[in-house]
């Protein structure tokens, strides 16, 4: 069974950092691109960052460029999101997901999702 489990969320002050992890099981992790999305209360789920199956290509939403870094360790079957210079507007539930399409930013191009981890950034 395909499974994705996020961890690393929490409460942090503006300007601080967090690193999110997403552990995968039940599939060949290295064969798929991965992505991070976030969703704040009352808002649509939005794309944050994506990474190719090999880790050689990464892409980000404009709102997080220069602050967030996505990476993956295929041996550990884990994808990470390093978040620096956090802002209150980064507050959301963060989800990792598996894609079946390279370079995907749309929700519909991801077929499996984790349950999410809460990130709260205080002023």
């Amino acid at each position: 069974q395909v499974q994705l489990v996020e961890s690393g969320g929490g409460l942090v002050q503006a300007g601080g950092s967090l690193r999110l992890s997403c552990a995968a099981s039940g599939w060949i992790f290295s064969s798929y691109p991965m992505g991070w999305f976030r969703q704040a209360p009352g808002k649509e789920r939005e794309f944050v960052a994506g990474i190719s199956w090999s880790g050689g290509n990464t892409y980000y939403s404009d709102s997080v460029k220069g602050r967030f870094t996505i990476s993956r360790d295929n041996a550990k079957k884990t994808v990470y999101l390093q978040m620096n210079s956090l802002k209150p507007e980064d507050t959301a539930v963060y989800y990792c997901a598996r894609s079946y399409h390279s370079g995907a930013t749309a929700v519909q191009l991801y077929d499996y999702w984790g349950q999410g981890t809460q990130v709260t950034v205080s002023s």
Side-chain angles (χ1 to χ4, degrees):
Q1 180 178 331
V2 174
Q3 184 172 293
L4 297 170
V5 180
E6 301 96 335
S7 63
L11 175 64
V12 64
Q13 292 185 335
S17 299
L18 286 173
R19 188 179 75 161
L20 306 184
S21 298
C22 175
S25 63
W27 49 285
I28 303 174
F29 180 78
S30 61
S31 296
Y32 294 86
M34 297 290 294
W36 286 95
F37 288 75
R38 66 187 183 187
Q39 187 168 25
K43 296 184 178 180
E44 296 292 320
R45 188 169 299 188
E46 66 171 333
F47 171 79
V48 175
I51 188 167
S52 63
W53 67 268
S54 67
N57 295 102
T58 59
Y59 43 101
Y60 302 88
S61 67
D62 289 340
S63 63
V64 306
K65 284 181 180 178
R67 299 189 298 120
F68 291 11
T69 302
I70 187 171
S71 62
R72 67 192 296 165
D73 185 335
N74 288 342
K76 295 181 179 180
K77 301 180 69 175
T78 302
V79 62
Y80 305 94
L81 185 68
Q82 178 66 47
M83 305 185 294
N84 298 325
S85 301
L86 283 162
K87 304 174 181 180
E89 51 263 45
D90 295 320
T91 295
V93 176
Y94 283 70
Y95 301 88
C96 70
R98 186 187 81 174
S99 181
Y100 52 87
H101 193 287
S102 297
T105 61
V107 169
Q108 61 265 34
L109 297 179
Y110 288 77
D111 57 358
Y112 287 94
W113 298 78
Q115 291 300 303
T117 185
Q118 177 71 47
V119 172
T120 302
V121 184
S122 62
S123 300

